[in-house]
Amino acid sequence: MGEKGKEALTAQELDTLPKLLWANYRENPFLVAMRKKDLGIWNPLTWEDCYNSVKNFALGLHLLGFGPGERLSIVGDNDPQWYFAELAAQALGGAAVGLYIDVIPSEVQYIVDHSDSTFAVAKDQEQCDKLLEVLEKLPKLKKIIYWDPKGMRSYGSIPQIISFEEVVDLGSRHEREHPGLFEKMLAVGKGRDTAVLCYTSGTTGLPKGALISHDFLIKGARKFALVKPWQPTDEYLSFVPLAWIAEQLFMVGWLLWKTKVNYPESTETIQENIREIGPHFLLLGPRQWQGLVSMVQMKMNDAGLLRRWVYKVSMGIGYRVSHYRFEKRQTPPVFWRLLHKLADHSCLLHIRDQLGLRRARTGLTGGSSLGPDVFRWFQAIGVNIGEAYGLTEVNPVAMHREWAKAGTVGPPVPGVEVKISEEGEVWIRSDVIFDGYHKQPEETAQIVQDGWVKTGDAGLFDENGHLIILDRMKDMLTLRGGEKYSPTYIENRLKFSPYVKDAMVVGGEKRDFLFAIINMDFDNVGRWAEKKGISYTTFVDLSQKKEVYELIQKDVERVNKDLPLKARVKKFSLLHKEFDPDEGELTKTRKLRRAFLENRYKAMIQAAYAGEEKVVTEAEVKYRDGRTAAVSTEIRIWGAQ
């Protein structure tokens, strides 16, 4: 492989991710490939820097005993070292296992053990501590490698702990003694080899480890590019967790089209870093897109009278023009185009700039549904975001093109077949799917039948061939009259409010109405309360204020106006806390674990349907250190029209 020099290589030869990295290094060694912001400075890394880092780390792993077929677990924020570790494991014939940064020790134990990981790479002291807490229960784990040395000085006496730099130094010395060894190992890899294990979010039980091959990732990224092409001049900011299959596909886009990937300084500086980079491609989860809308709405609420007026008028013009373009599929009349230029220069352009979206050509969301109100808001300010639908098991499946039709996920991508079963379930067939669930052949057989992957999602096609995902099959509500309705749709409409952070709607054919448990947005409601002169002490205190219930009631009734009579939320409660993944209420991708939540707040739900006005709820709260405590709070039950 090393003898080919700078010759063009075929797609068949470049059939693994590390081989793509090698080809980019040989073709453009001094071209900037990525940047990492540290201490306020964007530090560039060339393709040569990336290749040498992966090569030396891989050789160091090889010396420590990592070999073909082994698994390397990785946990930490998105950083170059995260992806270097993944590519290094793959170059040695192994696979990477991504963990979300907010995993608790018991989850770490399950995934590391279940995946048969023999090595783990962790960013910092916090993540290392999680691994060390359960180390005695992980007999296959040989080493824990960290890349951020802060707070790690006292860990030097632990034999299982070693730094990323030490492993790189080991590999660098080994390279000098055995030149060409890395390239020989690299050449052995095949596209059908397992590249990563992606653990599903586990809404109904323990997560399952989906086996994802190099072929899956490379072909998936190429299908994505047929709809949303990448350019070598594009900038991309990587901060969506690399444990998520969607971010894995975007990083393959970096390898295939040599775009520049940028890593933020920290989770607290992401918005600032987006503004600095001005990415052309942006992948955000639904909550993050909703958060941007809420941020602008709250700033406008706090603005002076003139600025609020300019915003209101400009947004009205933006909505009208986007209605012509995206709903009617027509060129707006000259009058509206002229007005839109004025609105854009006076307001909308500045909103895009403040959000870092001035250069955004492609903004995507996925993982769960994004409410149509959020779509329309971004279209009104001039950012045509789209939705991409896929599963860990098959990805991508459907995606918006230039026309992002709110309420849909777009038509199927080339090479993917989608059909709706008699029961209304979305089934998918593609030339490449996952290779099954690790150690779970029965679960694999349940989801894959005759080449079709059963998604568990309820859906249908509209008149334009766009796929509409209604909800999970098991979560569709059967109303009193027998009609089916999606609680997720109602929840997304509620979350368009800057004062609502999350919501869960419950109901059923044996219940007379729908009831919602709502999480208020503490920061936004807090600013509103201060502006209104309403005093409060804690989240709990603020959430149960009569004035706050009246505020949220307006949003509930705004949503109800557009819903069928039987699908309206008639009562709601404001929870005394946020839904928390550490307490099992949300998955790591922030999806509601409905069965768990309905059981936890059973007393509140029963009280709402019994006609009571208040309920005392008790919940066990689990802290990060393992301690538990009981919280008892009186919760209001409020009516809405």
Side-chain angles (χ1 to χ4, degrees):
M1 184 173 181
E3 299 299 321
K4 292 193 177 183
K6 297 184 179 180
E7 293 178 11
L9 299 174
T10 66
Q12 287 74 25
E13 290 173 302
L14 297 178
D15 56 354
T16 70
L17 306 189
K19 288 180 186 178
L20 289 170
L21 174 66
W22 174 84
N24 292 341
Y25 153 65
R26 298 305 297 261
E27 293 169 10
N28 300 282
F30 306 118
L31 183 70
V32 173
M34 61 172 57
R35 304 183 193 91
K36 165 64 182 175
K37 192 171 187 184
D38 188 34
L39 300 176
I41 299 172
W42 285 103
N43 299 293
L45 295 168
T46 65
W47 286 107
E48 182 178 52
D49 295 329
C50 296
Y51 179 74
N52 286 333
S53 294
V54 171
K55 176 174 68 174
N56 291 330
F57 187 74
L59 290 171
L61 278 179
H62 175 67
L63 274 178
L64 292 171
F66 188 91
E70 296 194 33
R71 309 283 161 71
L72 174 77
S73 285
I74 312 172
V75 57
D77 296 314
N78 291 24
D79 277 329
Q81 292 90 338
W82 205 113
Y83 206 56
F84 291 164
E86 175 178 324
L87 291 170
Q90 294 164 353
L92 297 175
V97 183
L99 286 79
Y100 291 91
I101 59 172
D102 55 355
V103 288
I104 58 177
S106 60
E107 294 169 331
V108 172
Q109 178 195 335
Y110 174 77
I111 294 175
V112 174
D113 178 64
H114 185 267
S115 65
D116 300 314
S117 292
T118 53
F119 285 75
V121 177
K123 177 176 181 175
D124 52 20
Q125 181 183 15
E126 178 187 359
Q127 305 301 344
C128 285
D129 284 344
K130 295 175 186 177
L131 285 156
L132 290 171
E133 184 175 327
V134 295
L135 187 59
E136 292 183 356
K137 300 176 183 177
L138 299 172
K140 289 171 282 193
L141 193 64
K142 300 174 186 175
K143 291 287 183 183
I144 301 170
I145 304 165
Y146 65 89
W147 72 80
D148 184 346
K150 186 176 180 180
M152 295 299 297
R153 182 176 297 180
S154 62
Y155 289 64
S157 61
I158 303 174
Q160 291 89 352
I161 294 283
I162 186 172
S163 73
F164 197 96
E165 287 186 0
E166 288 177 281
V167 178
V168 168
D169 288 342
L170 282 173
S172 180
R173 291 197 298 270
H174 198 55
E175 161 68 9
R176 290 193 295 270
E177 296 168 2
H178 303 278
L181 175 62
F182 176 72
E183 286 74 16
K184 290 178 182 177
M185 292 190 290
L186 196 65
V188 175
K190 301 296 180 186
R192 61 179 178 271
D193 295 342
T194 300
V196 294
L197 271 75
C198 280
Y199 276 79
T200 59
S201 53
T203 55
T204 57
L206 291 171
K208 299 183 288 289
L211 299 165
I212 306 297
S213 68
H214 293 273
D215 280 342
F216 179 109
L217 294 170
I218 294 172
K219 290 181 179 179
R222 291 189 185 280
K223 286 176 183 175
F224 175 92
L226 291 174
V227 179
K228 301 286 186 182
W230 294 83
Q231 302 295 333
T233 54
D234 284 344
E235 299 279 354
Y236 175 64
L237 192 78
S238 173
F239 66 93
V240 173
L242 277 157
W244 187 26
I245 187 66
E247 185 67 8
Q248 285 285 333
L249 288 171
F250 267 55
M251 289 305 297
V252 178
W254 167 69
L255 290 168
L256 285 172
W257 289 282
K258 306 178 187 65
T259 56
K260 294 179 181 66
V261 64
N262 301 273
Y263 293 101
E265 186 163 14
S266 69
T267 54
E268 290 76 24
T269 64
I270 286 173
Q271 187 56 46
E272 174 190 333
N273 297 160
I274 290 176
R275 285 198 66 199
E276 293 169 345
I277 292 297
H280 300 87
F281 264 71
L282 194 63
L283 174 65
L284 300 178
R287 291 170 186 272
Q288 293 159 323
W289 287 113
Q290 290 159 356
L292 293 178
V293 176
S294 295
M295 181 177 70
V296 173
Q297 289 175 333
M298 288 308 301
K299 284 186 177 180
M300 288 300 103
N301 287 344
D302 294 338
L305 184 62
L306 178 60
R307 290 184 67 192
R308 291 203 306 272
W309 180 83
V310 171
Y311 172 75
K312 182 179 179 180
V313 172
S314 298
M315 287 299 294
I317 296 169
Y319 275 118
R320 178 63 67 93
V321 169
S322 65
H323 178 72
Y324 276 108
R325 290 176 177 167
F326 298 108
E327 300 293 333
K328 293 187 174 182
R329 302 291 289 156
Q330 298 175 0
T331 300
V334 174
F335 172 73
W336 285 106
R337 294 206 303 270
L338 290 173
L339 279 181
H340 188 257
K341 283 188 177 181
L342 291 172
D344 197 58
H345 285 287
S346 62
C347 179
L348 305 180
L349 174 66
H350 302 291
I351 295 175
R352 296 197 301 273
D353 185 56
Q354 285 295 313
L355 297 178
L357 302 176
R358 193 167 184 171
R359 298 197 300 175
R361 188 176 72 253
T362 297
L364 279 180
T365 187
S368 58
S369 298
L370 183 64
D373 296 324
V374 180
F375 268 108
R376 295 188 179 105
W377 187 90
F378 278 101
Q379 289 172 346
I381 70 167
V383 179
N384 184 24
I385 66 172
E387 188 150 3
Y389 172 68
L391 313 174
T392 304
E393 297 83 358
V394 190
N395 209 317
V397 173
M399 194 184 311
H400 284 128
R401 274 63 165 175
E402 291 184 6
W403 175 29
K405 188 177 182 182
T408 78
V409 295
V413 301
V416 174
E417 295 179 67
V418 178
K419 73 175 182 179
I420 309 300
S421 72
E422 293 182 1
E423 294 77 20
E425 183 180 10
V426 178
W427 287 20
I428 304 164
R429 185 162 63 186
S430 176
D431 58 338
V432 59
I433 65 172
F434 79 129
D435 292 325
Y437 296 121
H438 182 53
K439 297 181 180 177
Q440 294 176 296
E442 296 84 4
E443 285 79 358
T444 304
Q446 289 175 5
I447 192 174
V448 182
Q449 294 185 4
D450 299 325
W452 290 93
V453 176
K454 302 168 66 175
T455 68
D457 292 327
L460 53 90
F461 283 102
D462 72 1
E463 68 278 6
N464 301 115
H466 287 228
L467 180 62
I468 299 172
I469 301 298
L470 300 172
D471 214 322
R472 297 294 290 169
M473 291 283 290
K474 61 183 177 59
D475 293 332
M476 290 291 289
L477 288 175
T478 301
L479 303 178
R480 171 69 80 176
E483 303 94 337
K484 293 273 189 179
Y485 214 75
S486 165
T488 299
Y489 176 80
I490 304 171
E491 291 155 3
N492 285 335
R493 296 294 306 276
L494 288 169
K495 288 186 286 187
F496 185 70
S497 164
Y499 305 116
V500 176
K501 188 164 188 177
D502 217 331
M504 183 182 74
V505 174
V506 298
E509 57 187 334
K510 296 182 180 180
R511 290 167 171 167
D512 293 326
F513 57 87
L514 300 188
F515 171 65
I517 299 175
I518 295 175
N519 282 169
M520 69 175 186
D521 188 303
F522 182 58
D523 292 336
N524 291 345
V525 174
R527 283 196 291 269
W528 173 86
E530 290 167 8
K531 193 174 180 180
K532 296 292 183 179
I534 301 169
S535 60
Y536 64 93
T537 53
T538 62
F539 187 113
V540 176
D541 181 31
L542 181 62
S543 70
Q544 299 309 307
K545 295 284 186 185
K546 176 176 177 288
E547 297 88 345
V548 174
Y549 270 86
E550 290 171 345
L551 173 71
I552 302 300
Q553 180 185 348
K554 294 176 183 177
D555 285 314
V556 173
E557 293 177 348
R558 167 186 59 81
V559 172
N560 279 345
K561 286 179 182 178
D562 297 325
L563 295 174
L565 187 62
K566 293 179 181 178
R568 294 179 180 177
V569 175
K570 294 296 185 181
K571 291 185 180 181
F572 69 94
S573 289
L574 298 180
L575 202 59
H576 58 289
K577 57 179 280 300
E578 293 183 1
F579 293 146
D580 191 344
D582 285 347
E583 295 177 26
E585 297 176 332
L586 301 173
T587 69
K588 295 305 175 187
T589 52
R590 311 295 297 184
K591 295 176 184 175
L592 298 174
R593 296 187 67 193
R594 294 183 186 275
F596 181 90
L597 286 166
E598 287 195 35
N599 183 62
R600 168 170 267 197
Y601 300 111
K602 180 168 60 176
M604 186 187 305
I605 295 169
Q606 290 175 342
Y609 287 106
E612 298 179 22
E613 296 183 353
K614 292 182 179 180
V615 62
V616 176
T617 182
E618 293 189 4
E620 183 182 76
V621 178
K622 189 172 184 179
Y623 299 99
R624 287 186 178 272
D625 61 4
R627 292 182 298 114
T628 59
V631 176
S632 178
T633 309
E634 188 175 77
I635 305 291
R636 295 177 186 262
I637 298 172
W638 204 263
Q641 298 299 315

